[in-house]
Amino acid sequence: MTLPAGLPVIDTMIGFPHEGFAVYDFIRKQTKDQASKDSQFPAEYMFKNVPKDLPTSDPIAVTLHEMDRFGVEKGMVGVGDETSQLALKKHPDRFIASGSINDPNDVVGSVRAIKREYEEFGIRATSAFPSGTFPQVPIDDPKMYPIYATCVELGIPIFVCAGVPGPRLKFAPQEVSRIDTVMFDFPDLVFVTRHGCEPWEQLAVKLMLKWPNLYYSTSAFAPKYYPKAVIDFANTRGADKVLYAGYFPMGLSLERIFRDMPNVPFKDDVWPKFLYGNAARILGL
């Protein structure tokens, strides 16, 4: 039950260093406590040693260097900025394109954006942060339904933050119980949770048993903090349902992640599925 050497890795949440922290302005404008407004990274109180002093003159090279250090063969990145678009163009063998639902309150605009990104960049997935939208749009809100329907139509999964968010935002839109309604109405939708599902991780496991197309990714968690319920699930009936995601450079370094990784008590047959196989299947690689 130790990490086998030499396994390839697909990281389903990775990015590039940016100059400054304007990327988090959309969170700061919603928070009300002064500490969040003053912080560079609104969830920094939850993370130690956030990698925020990385060079930004060649951000693609920085991320590739870290990927090569730790055996990350491919990384899924957004398509919303010039750096990511350049990375996808120059290194199509290393980076996987993913969209992002920036404002689900604009229903028609969101559907059009998914289709445009699919045609222009060949996105293999899209993503949503329900508590981070403004006004907030819950997982099971009717505004999300055309978005889910578009994902089904295009045959791409959606990665959605679920559970109490790190930033000091209201968690109600991300209550894990809301996923049940979505999966009932969209049984063909491939839905992957992000950011832990806590404190409802046991409910998330129960729902993954119930719904064939519901998955869990480990984004924003150092391996030492992977929920026990999720590890136990992967080691029993859920080997095909749990997939690796990091959080570089947003909150975790790959060095921190892969230093902890060998201590995760996955069974030998789970590791290849967790690190590579499940993501490859879901993303159609």
Side-chain angles (χ1 to χ4, degrees):
M1 295 178 70
T2 58
L3 174 63
L7 285 178
V9 178
I10 294 177
D11 191 331
T12 55
M13 191 173 190
I14 198 166
F16 306 98
H18 289 87
E19 186 74 37
F21 291 86
V23 67
Y24 299 114
D25 285 350
F26 80 100
I27 295 176
R28 278 188 287 268
K29 76 177 182 181
Q30 302 180 52
T31 54
K32 295 187 176 182
D33 66 293
Q34 196 59 45
S36 293
K37 292 184 178 297
D38 292 342
S39 66
Q40 295 177 322
F41 174 40
E44 189 166 354
Y45 72 95
M46 296 184 65
F47 295 89
K48 295 180 180 179
N49 302 317
V50 175
K52 54 181 164 182
D53 295 321
L54 298 168
T56 57
S57 58
D58 191 348
I60 298 172
V62 171
T63 295
L64 281 173
H65 174 73
E66 293 302 294
M67 290 169 65
D68 290 341
R69 283 181 67 197
F70 299 101
V72 178
E73 184 176 286
K74 298 178 185 293
M76 191 165 75
V77 299
V79 297
D81 63 84
E82 292 183 2
T83 299
S84 297
Q85 292 172 14
L86 181 61
L88 289 162
K89 182 178 180 180
K90 293 182 66 176
H91 304 281
D93 58 325
R94 302 300 303 276
F95 295 110
I96 306 159
S98 174
S100 177
I101 309 302
N102 296 321
D103 184 14
N105 292 285
D106 179 4
V107 179
V108 174
S110 295
V111 169
R112 287 175 176 169
I114 296 171
K115 292 182 176 180
R116 176 182 56 79
E117 291 168 345
Y118 183 81
E119 293 172 0
E120 185 175 351
F121 301 107
I123 60 171
R124 298 278 183 160
T126 193
S127 62
F129 177 14
S131 286
T133 56
F134 188 69
Q136 290 180 320
V137 178
I139 287 171
D140 58 350
D141 192 285
K143 293 175 184 175
M144 291 297 296
Y145 273 44
I147 292 167
Y148 296 144
T150 303
C151 290
V152 172
E153 176 188 346
L154 298 177
I156 61 173
I158 185 166
F159 287 67
V160 182
C161 295
V164 174
R168 294 185 175 111
L169 302 166
K170 292 181 290 183
F171 68 73
Q174 296 185 178
E175 288 186 26
V176 170
S177 61
R178 295 179 181 274
I179 299 172
D180 188 56
T181 301
V182 173
M183 301 313 298
F184 177 80
D185 288 336
F186 294 92
D188 294 329
L189 175 68
V190 176
F191 190 109
V192 187
T193 68
R194 274 182 170 169
H195 288 24
C197 293
E198 290 186 336
W200 303 286
E201 63 271 23
Q202 291 184 334
L203 176 58
V205 165
K206 187 68 174 179
L207 291 177
M208 282 191 280
L209 280 170
K210 180 180 180 181
W211 299 113
N213 287 326
L214 179 60
Y215 298 83
Y216 181 103
S217 71
T218 59
S219 63
F221 274 56
K224 70 181 294 184
Y225 296 118
Y226 289 172
K228 182 179 184 300
V230 172
I231 293 174
D232 291 346
F233 178 58
N235 280 336
T236 52
R237 299 176 65 182
D240 296 324
K241 298 287 231 147
V242 181
L243 53 145
Y244 165 68
Y247 202 42
F248 174 83
M250 294 75 79
L252 292 168
S253 66
L254 292 185
E255 182 175 5
R256 166 68 191 283
I257 290 170
F258 285 95
R259 183 179 69 233
D260 286 0
M261 192 70 81
N263 297 319
V264 178
F266 283 141
K267 292 182 178 179
D268 291 346
D269 62 330
V270 172
W271 282 110
K273 296 180 177 182
F274 170 69
L275 292 175
Y276 183 91
N278 292 340
R281 186 181 72 257
I282 291 168
L283 298 172
L285 301 179

